Amino acid sequence: MEATRRATFLSFQPPAITEAEIEAVAETLRSGWLTTGPRTAELEARMRDYLEARHVLAVSSCTAALHLSLVALGVGPGDEVITTSITWPATANVIVHCGATPVFADVREDTLNIDPARAAELVTARTKAIVPVDLYGQPADLEELAVLGLPVVEDAAHAAEARYRGRKVGTIADVTCLSLYATKNIAAGEGGLIATDRDDLAETLDDLRVMRRGHGALYDIAVPGYKANLSDVLAAIALVQLDKVEQHAAIRARHVALYDEGIADLDGVEAVGRDARDVHANHLYVVRVTFADRDDVQRALADENIGTSIHFLPVHSLSAYRDRLAPHQPELPVTERAGAEVLSLPLSPAHSDDDVRDAIAALRRVHARLSG
Ligand SMILES: Cc1ncc(COP(=O)(O)O)c(C=O)c1O
């Protein structure tokens, strides 16, 4: 084990951008297409193949993807939507944007994904949909959730490469939403994708994502749509990233194995669980820290020049949500305990194996210093 701190700061999750992405952007700019155009169409076609889905629509973010999906399902004022609280606030915000109320179900102790039994207890006459999150890249329990008989909008922001019981994420829920944000497994900087096998939803989502322009001087719109289309400049980056998706997945899988081995004997450091029946997208490597206060450990790692992050602070505990919880919102003991313990270690295809070894060595030094 290295006895001394790393000389330079190891970023938590830098994007893996090369000359190929830079050239693709330059080519797009030279082409004259700045907004949605042929590259966006190509991205949709390629993602249809990749996700094995009937329809893929490119949009401006996963937040927009989730929002438009709920709008397309008719979620509105007075409705409730069941989701989880250990997620990026966007998952819940979009429910509020529809005028509906998020109802948070507690999560499974092992994967931190929505606990289908807890979700079932929360269904009321007002429940309009369920939004499970494939947290860190582990698909939620989609079969158990389907039994509830509610439309499922899957938040697969972390899960581009995931498979659930052999089936590609993107084909199982009514709608699956992915993110192309800067840190994501297919990173364009910003952007999102909606996958669905339902023709009716695809048509409605297509109307909602952008106000269509007519072919002549006259134009008409079928619905008062949003402005949530993807630019070709970003689609060009995503296309190059898609070419590398398997190569990047292999690097992250190797890094995950290094971490698993490197922390195996540390008491009070435990990786969040995975379901061996599924393909995990390895978007994040998250441990639960119980040997010392998580925030102290994060600060100590920063002093060691190791960048980390927290995924996530429970949404229901954030200022915006404290006063807008459903009257029947249950206690969320598993979520709250996890929210105080989770710590995400550096994981990116831009990192070398030695970077990951540095992060492990630093964590082991911090463990030796702070435990007990
Ligand atoms: C679980 C989850 N859902 C939704 C989002 C929103 O994605 P976007 O930034 O593309 O809107 C994120 C973003 O980090 C996320 O982590």
Side-chain angles (χ1 to χ4, degrees):
M1 198 206 308
E2 279 291 317
T4 53
R5 111 197 235 270
R6 189 181 148 98
T8 56
F9 189 75
L10 181 63
S11 296
F12 162 65
Q13 208 162 43
I17 294 296
T18 62
E19 282 305 312
E21 285 86 351
I22 295 168
E23 189 45 42
V25 168
E27 249 177 57
T28 307
L29 296 175
R30 282 189 209 104
S31 80
W33 268 106
L34 297 185
T35 185
T36 310
R39 283 163 182 82
T40 306
E42 188 185 341
L43 178 66
E44 291 177 336
R46 296 237 345 248
M47 286 303 296
R48 269 199 302 275
D49 288 346
Y50 182 66
L51 297 173
E52 300 166 12
R54 197 167 150 79
H55 305 278
V56 171
L57 294 100
V59 289
S60 53
S61 66
C62 183
T63 306
L66 292 163
H67 181 206
L68 298 187
S69 299
L70 293 178
V71 173
L73 286 166
V75 173
D79 294 334
E80 293 174 359
V81 176
I82 297 171
T83 188
T84 45
S85 178
I86 185 154
T87 181
W88 182 240
T91 316
N93 289 355
V94 295
I95 299 168
V96 174
H97 295 166
C98 292
T101 303
V103 183
F104 300 108
D106 213 351
V107 292
R108 288 171 46 158
E109 186 72 54
D110 50 0
T111 59
L112 304 184
N113 274 337
I114 193 165
D115 183 333
R118 299 285 83 79
E121 291 163 3
L122 295 173
V123 177
T124 71
R126 292 167 181 258
T127 311
K128 204 62 184 271
I130 178 157
V131 183
V133 180
D134 300 332
L135 199 67
Y136 313 146
Q138 165 64 51
D141 294 285
L142 298 168
E143 264 167 29
E144 287 86 341
L145 293 171
V147 172
L148 301 181
L150 293 162
V152 177
V153 175
E154 184 180 353
D155 182 342
H158 296 181
E161 303 97 323
R163 280 184 184 271
Y164 172 77
R165 312 288 193 270
R167 290 161 75 194
K168 193 81 188 119
V169 153
T171 59
I172 305 161
D174 292 83
V175 193
T176 305
C177 300
L178 291 88
S179 174
L180 304 173
Y181 177 65
T183 59
K184 295 298 190 285
N185 290 5
I186 300 170
E190 300 288 351
L193 298 164
I194 310 174
T196 182
D197 281 354
R198 280 182 55 177
D199 297 344
D200 59 330
L201 287 179
E203 196 178 328
T204 306
L205 286 161
D206 192 28
D207 279 337
L208 286 173
R209 71 174 153 172
V210 68
M211 283 162 277
R212 299 214 160 281
R213 298 193 191 278
H215 292 294
L218 302 177
Y219 54 85
D220 190 23
I221 56 169
V223 292
Y226 296 82
K227 188 67 166 70
N229 50 315
L230 186 73
S231 134
D232 256 26
V233 179
L234 298 175
I237 303 174
L239 280 165
V240 179
Q241 290 267 304
L242 184 55
D243 289 338
K244 299 193 263 192
V245 72
E246 298 305 330
Q247 183 196 334
H248 285 173
I251 296 171
R252 284 197 314 274
R254 202 169 66 231
H255 292 172
V256 164
L258 284 174
Y259 277 127
D260 280 346
E261 198 191 327
I263 66 161
D265 63 334
L266 294 183
D267 285 341
V269 180
E270 198 184 334
V272 169
R274 291 149 180 270
D275 191 324
R277 293 171 293 182
D278 301 328
V279 174
H280 195 293
N282 289 327
H283 174 54
L284 292 164
Y285 190 85
V286 180
V287 292
R288 292 181 70 165
V289 170
T290 49
F291 70 87
D293 178 76
R294 186 269 319 275
D295 300 348
D296 289 343
V297 172
Q298 185 176 39
R299 273 189 290 273
L301 283 169
D303 289 343
E304 290 271 355
N305 261 342
I306 303 297
T308 60
S309 190
I310 292 171
H311 298 87
F312 294 94
L313 298 175
V315 177
H316 73 279
S317 66
L318 303 178
S319 305
Y321 281 89
R322 277 188 228 126
D323 298 329
R324 54 164 95 235
L325 298 175
H328 54 294
Q329 173 60 56
E331 301 283 303
L332 301 170
V334 184
T335 298
E336 289 185 2
R337 207 168 47 251
E341 293 176 356
V342 286
L343 185 65
S344 309
L345 301 178
L347 188 68
S348 162
H351 288 147
S352 67
D353 293 4
D354 280 343
D355 289 333
V356 174
R357 289 191 187 101
D358 285 348
I360 294 167
L363 180 59
R364 296 185 70 85
R365 282 194 295 276
V366 169
H367 185 268
R369 256 197 328 270
L370 299 187
S371 59

